[in-house]
Amino acid sequence: MNEAADLLIVGAGLGGLAAALACARQAPGLRGVDLVEQAAALQEVGAGIQCGPNMTRRWRSWDLMAPLRDLAHAPGAVVARDAASGRELGRLDTRDFEARYGAPYLTVHRADLQAALAASVAQVSDRARLMLGTRIKTFSSHGDEIHAEAAPLSEPLRARLLMGADGLRSAVRSRFWPDVRVPDTGELAWRGMVPMHDLPERLRRPEVQAWLGPRMHVVSYPVRGGEWLNVAAFTEQHGPLPTADEEGHGAWAGEGRLSDLLQATGPVCTPLAETLAALPALRRWRVHARAPLRGVSDMHLRADSPIALLGDAAHPMQPYLAQGAGMALEDADALAQALAAHGATPTALARYAQQRWQRNAQVQARAARNGRIFHAAGPLRLARNLALGVRPQLMDLP
Ligand code: FAD
């Protein structure tokens, strides 16, 4: 029979990889971390993410800055624009984030961040074991151990602690928190990428641009060292929704059509229309979010429980503050600190959950509020535009 690991992490997305890396590096007393991922190979969706200083500070402490140096992009500013006129509404300078927050504001392709995390986990393989192509099916308690049945393994995986980092449709959450609902918000997200050299010079902007319109917004920014433009559009008007089949297990939907996107956005200014039309392919899926966490128990079952949640499994949120992965990395850091202080014990998970739930709840609420501000219509929109001119911190990061 396998030896019991101290910690079994389900899911090797950005959150699970970060948790395995942080625990192996920061809690050297751990006997072993098992990280299981159902996918046969690590594959991130072809899209970018914005990385606030709360995230890049962790990159630095986990030695990820060097591998990401040529892949991340420093946009220098976040610029809010009116989607219909293209007029600049507000500008948040991010060049001084290093001085203000102790870490930079960067954008990166998700696959580049995932690859850097996976390479760093491989460097600590004596303490953290990544098992690809391994799907957790059921769990059971045996004294002070958790046993997890996993396909295609013939024997259960054994561990003292279980961390569900298995995303929006978490199997760990469904098993131990069966009443939690993660509703469809009624919004659609659309994403695509285009090589910069395929865009006319006038559309090659280095900044993060947020194009705000009634009941929609579009965010665009460079990734891969500035060589690709990443574009994400968010619309409240449904148009044809992806079917459950299209959504698949990972919640990434099927193809999107430009004509459906433009129908959902309504009229947009020429630079934005040209940018959207330049995308060679679009993917589209439903946005899901859980209501802000109400207490420790939303991330942790009982005071003496060896089971907890991390990242989107715990606190899926609307992507309007660009902080879902940021919170997953903060969770990972807090988990490692709790394990270093309390060993592989339920007390460590209780400390972790106590430290994290309020911060995650605040960010979930701020993400939802940003959606209301970004998508404002009528008189609220005019007030929002005025406010952005004098206080661009509305777009600031926590
Ligand atoms: P996931 O990435 O979902 O990983 C879960 C993993 O668990 C998957 O690999 C899955 O295969 C695996 N798994 C599931 N079930 C099992 C099982 N039974 N057994 C084994 N493995 C299993 N965040 C930011 O910080 N900045 C941004 O700019 C940003 N932009 C976004 C834009 C959009 C449009 C969206 C939708 C999200 C955005 N986010 C952003 C949020 C961010 O993408 C997520 O919060 C983050 O990726 C969640 O990571 P995770 O590891 O918790 O979950």
Side-chain angles (χ1 to χ4, degrees):
M1 212 179 197
N2 293 309
E3 199 184 331
D6 275 340
L7 174 65
L8 171 60
I9 302 172
V10 184
L14 298 178
L17 282 166
L21 178 63
C23 292
R25 287 179 63 118
Q26 294 169 223
L30 289 192
R31 273 181 308 172
V33 177
D34 278 349
L35 173 61
V36 290
E37 168 57 47
Q38 63 188 2
L42 291 180
Q43 286 169 333
E44 260 296 351
V45 69
I49 52 171
Q50 300 172 66
C51 307
N54 58 323
M55 196 194 291
T56 57
R57 198 173 299 128
R58 269 84 191 179
W59 293 8
R60 188 165 282 157
S61 70
W62 299 333
D63 294 328
L64 294 173
M65 279 296 189
L68 290 171
R69 183 175 298 124
D70 295 334
L71 297 168
H73 168 77
V78 180
V79 178
R81 294 185 182 280
D82 186 290
S85 69
R87 185 168 67 86
E88 183 171 318
L89 302 172
R91 176 178 284 261
L92 176 71
D93 195 328
T94 58
R95 286 171 302 181
D96 62 350
F97 271 33
E98 183 79 57
R100 275 164 65 191
Y101 300 116
Y105 176 72
L106 301 172
T107 60
V108 72
H109 193 289
R110 297 172 65 99
D112 294 338
L113 176 54
Q114 186 183 48
L117 282 164
S120 297
V121 169
Q123 285 168 13
V124 289
S125 57
D126 53 329
R127 277 165 283 150
R129 175 171 65 145
L130 171 60
M131 283 176 269
L132 295 173
T134 309
R135 177 168 166 72
I136 299 289
K137 296 191 301 184
T138 59
F139 310 92
S140 51
S141 290
H142 297 264
D144 59 0
E145 281 185 11
I146 304 273
H147 290 194
E149 303 284 342
L153 305 181
S154 53
E155 287 185 5
L157 291 164
R158 298 161 48 214
R160 294 167 70 190
L161 302 177
L162 173 67
M163 177 56 76
D166 47 348
L168 192 62
R169 289 174 167 70
S170 166
V172 177
R173 192 187 62 229
S174 326
R175 166 71 175 77
F176 297 103
W177 286 262
D179 297 334
V180 171
R181 297 280 167 268
V182 181
D184 176 348
T185 63
E187 297 142 333
L188 280 185
W190 313 66
R191 282 212 276 214
M193 289 184 43
V194 55
M196 278 291 187
H197 61 68
D198 284 356
L199 289 169
E201 188 76 37
R202 64 182 181 286
L203 297 180
R204 297 183 201 170
R205 304 293 314 168
E207 306 97 355
V208 174
Q209 300 198 87
W211 312 78
L212 313 183
R215 292 173 288 282
M216 58 74 78
H217 76 283
V218 179
V219 181
S220 60
Y221 50 83
V223 293
R224 299 223 137 133
E227 290 185 8
W228 286 74
L229 186 73
N230 175 75
V231 181
F234 304 92
T235 59
E236 289 180 25
Q237 194 183 337
H238 276 153
L241 282 173
T243 63
D245 279 352
E246 271 183 315
E247 278 195 282
H249 187 84
W252 306 111
E255 299 298 311
R257 284 203 307 256
L258 178 65
S259 55
D260 291 335
L261 172 57
L262 293 175
Q263 195 188 352
T265 60
V268 295
C269 62
T270 305
L272 180 52
E274 286 177 346
T275 303
L276 296 175
L279 298 171
L282 271 172
R283 291 186 72 75
R284 161 197 76 138
W285 64 99
R286 302 169 195 238
V287 175
H288 289 76
R290 182 181 177 182
L293 305 181
R294 288 157 308 168
V296 172
S297 60
D298 281 343
M299 293 180 72
H300 184 265
L301 192 56
R302 299 181 303 268
D304 62 349
S305 168
I307 302 154
L309 298 174
L310 175 151
D312 275 9
H315 40 73
M317 61 185 78
Q318 286 149 300
Y320 305 151
L321 193 61
Q323 276 295 336
M327 290 305 104
L329 264 67
E330 286 192 15
D331 288 349
D333 191 7
L335 174 69
Q337 288 181 34
L339 290 168
H342 302 282
T345 61
T347 306
L349 292 192
R351 292 284 181 275
Y352 153 76
Q354 277 158 3
Q355 202 200 323
R356 291 300 304 155
W357 80 265
Q358 279 169 311
R359 164 84 163 155
N360 283 319
Q362 282 161 3
V363 171
Q364 285 175 293
R366 278 192 62 186
R369 190 191 68 158
N370 259 22
R372 292 191 293 276
I373 294 172
F374 287 178
H375 294 189
L380 277 178
R381 183 177 171 212
L382 296 176
R384 188 264 330 269
N385 290 356
L386 284 173
L388 276 174
V390 289
R391 197 170 160 262
Q393 291 86 343
L394 273 180
M395 301 175 290
D396 208 346
L397 303 153

